[in-house]
Amino acid sequence: MNKKYLPSALILYLNYFLHGVGCSILGQAVIKEALAGSWNVTAMAITAISAALGLGRLIALPFAGPLSDKLGRRISCVIGGASYAIYLIGLALAFNAGTNGGYQIAYVCAILGGVANSFLDTGIYPAVGEVFYAAPGVATMGIKFFISISQMLLPFALGATVATTAAGLTSYNTLFYICGICYIVLAVLILFAPLPDSDAKKEKKEGLIQSLKTTRFSVESIAMILIGFTCTGTFQLWLNCAQNFAKEVVGWADPSIMQTYYSVGTMLALIVTALLTRKIKDVRFIMVYPVICLAALILVLVTKTQTMCIVGAFAIGWAGAGGLLQIVTAVCNMLFPKIKGTVTALVMIASSLCNYTILTAAANMTPSGVMTMNIVLTLIGVLLGLFVNFRYTKMVSLAFEQKNS
């Protein structure tokens, strides 16, 4: 690794520190109540705004990757950072608009936030892998680590930025503005920061549609793609709706501390799982972690206690959000060595499709209904994980044949 790229790596990681706020802020009960009060809608209706983030990713993913390969990581990072700034600052402007189109403005801004996420993913994931070329896996797990740190600190940031408007409404606009401005600063910095020379290589890259035309899909590959859908649903439904369950069903007045336990679980999982993968096959986590999530969700729904909500937050943070999606992607790349780009793109599209469809559905459900839906979705993930593990030996053999054909 060239030391001159270290400042660049820090700038790239800081984008995801802010992303940790942007992707989870709409899941906070206090934020939902503040926005719902301004727009005169129910708190659960704010979940549809979170779903729009997934819609934005779906729109951008098919071309964000090829654009990153063709024009370079720098351009993708700048587009992503600028779009994210519009999303966050737009939330503040939408809050101020109140019932005069505020909800609609926020929905459009959230779509831009999803577009931003796609460009950051396709720019920063390969960029940090190129900076830390000797350990690209550790480099990408560093992204998740920075996200988890910001999510852990989010409840404290909310307490520090809460304000009351002249109309008596609770506002968190200060946090929206601060994060949006920080994204603008990072976008400017990345314009001048040095990045690896591989960014400048001119190679003709195959786009997603062209890759699909030449790809043969097996039952196993479809199962892996579906796991990308189910594992995303597990932690996204928890992240966006669990605090509503704790408040309305359990009777917990301020459940925001659940976010901290969730983030601590995620950070510990990133470290422990990275160590365990040296002795345990990655594919085993695809079976075991969803089982842990399923057990936690059932216990939360049945017991309806604050203690179990905290335990559940830690468990879902660990087993649901602690790198499971990244493990699924890594196993796909190992099992299908000739179509790594295509399979990775499809896993991420399945993840984004889940964000949009599942969260849109959750916006019209009760917190208990959402918890039940999460249990069913996670159960499907458990069954898919069992199938993939059962077929693992055959899948490895096929992968070996493909690699040497």
Side-chain angles (χ1 to χ4, degrees):
M1 181 197 69
N2 192 324
K3 291 184 178 179
K4 77 173 184 178
Y5 295 133
L6 285 178
S8 304
L10 178 60
I11 294 171
L12 296 172
Y13 282 129
L14 285 175
N15 276 275
Y16 274 95
F17 179 85
L18 295 174
H19 170 65
V21 175
C23 70
S24 58
I25 198 167
L26 292 177
Q28 306 306 300
V30 291
I31 293 288
K32 285 184 175 181
E33 290 178 354
L35 295 177
S38 175
W39 300 332
N40 196 26
V41 297
T42 64
M44 286 301 292
I46 306 302
T47 307
I49 306 296
S50 299
L53 292 167
L55 177 59
R57 282 177 57 80
L58 281 172
I59 292 171
L61 270 172
F63 60 86
L67 185 64
S68 173
D69 288 332
K70 186 174 183 179
L71 300 181
R73 316 306 179 203
R74 191 188 314 277
I75 298 299
S76 290
C77 293
V78 171
I79 293 174
S83 299
Y84 232 128
I86 295 173
Y87 159 56
L88 290 165
I89 295 175
L91 284 179
L93 297 177
F95 175 87
N96 293 336
T99 56
N100 299 316
Y103 187 89
Q104 290 74 19
I105 293 172
Y107 194 90
V108 173
C109 289
I111 292 175
L112 281 176
V115 171
N117 192 188
S118 294
F119 277 97
L120 289 180
D121 281 352
T122 56
I124 293 179
Y125 269 85
V128 296
E130 291 157 2
V131 171
F132 301 102
Y133 54 85
V138 175
T140 55
M141 292 198 67
I143 290 174
K144 187 70 175 180
F145 190 76
F146 269 79
I147 293 174
S148 300
I149 292 175
S150 69
Q151 289 177 333
M152 181 181 66
L153 297 175
L154 180 55
F156 305 101
L158 292 174
T161 56
V162 63
T164 302
T165 68
L169 296 173
T170 301
S171 169
Y172 293 90
N173 283 354
T174 300
L175 181 60
F176 297 149
Y177 282 125
I178 290 174
C179 291
I181 292 170
C182 286
Y183 258 121
I184 294 173
V185 172
L186 291 176
V188 172
L189 289 176
I190 204 63
L191 283 173
F192 304 98
L195 292 173
D197 292 338
S198 56
D199 283 352
K201 289 183 178 179
K202 304 288 185 180
E203 295 181 10
K204 185 177 180 181
K205 301 292 182 178
E206 194 175 59
L208 177 63
I209 301 301
Q210 186 60 36
S211 296
L212 289 175
K213 290 180 179 178
T214 58
T215 297
R216 289 173 52 196
F217 292 101
S218 64
V219 176
E220 294 81 7
S221 65
I222 295 173
M224 292 297 296
I225 292 168
L226 290 176
I227 291 173
F229 185 99
T230 58
C231 75
T232 298
T234 297
F235 72 81
Q236 282 289 4
L237 284 174
W238 180 273
L239 192 62
N240 284 280
C241 303
Q243 289 188 31
N244 292 92
F245 178 86
K247 190 164 188 174
E248 297 180 23
V249 179
V250 178
W252 192 352
D254 184 11
S256 60
I257 193 65
M258 289 169 60
Q259 178 69 54
T260 298
Y261 283 96
Y262 172 92
S263 301
V264 169
T266 301
M267 287 191 291
L268 288 177
L270 291 171
I271 298 170
V272 175
T273 304
L275 295 174
L276 290 176
T277 52
R278 297 180 180 181
K279 296 183 178 181
I280 303 174
K281 292 183 177 66
D282 288 357
V283 72
R284 305 308 179 205
F285 294 98
I286 296 174
M287 175 180 61
V288 175
Y289 277 5
V291 171
I292 295 173
C293 291
L294 180 62
L297 290 168
I298 292 174
L299 287 173
V300 169
L301 180 62
V302 172
T303 62
K304 298 180 176 67
T305 65
Q306 290 186 20
T307 300
M308 199 59 233
C309 285
I310 290 174
V311 173
F314 181 85
I316 301 299
W318 180 297
L324 183 56
L325 182 60
Q326 287 75 17
I327 291 175
V328 169
T329 305
V331 172
C332 281
N333 287 340
M334 184 269 291
L335 293 175
F336 305 97
K338 288 191 174 182
I339 55 171
K340 288 182 179 179
T342 299
V343 171
T344 299
L346 289 175
V347 171
M348 298 308 294
I349 287 174
S351 174
S352 301
L353 184 62
C354 178
N355 282 345
Y356 179 62
T357 57
I358 295 300
L359 291 181
T360 298
N364 300 306
M365 299 172 66
T366 65
S368 294
V370 172
M371 192 67 66
T372 302
M373 179 171 66
N374 202 355
I375 289 172
V376 173
L377 187 64
T378 304
L379 176 59
I380 294 172
V382 169
L383 296 176
L384 289 170
L386 287 170
F387 172 75
V388 169
N389 273 265
F390 178 75
R391 303 276 290 184
Y392 181 71
T393 301
K394 180 179 180 181
M395 292 165 71
V396 171
S397 298
L398 290 174
F400 181 80
E401 292 176 5
Q402 290 180 19
K403 187 175 182 180
N404 293 278
S405 62

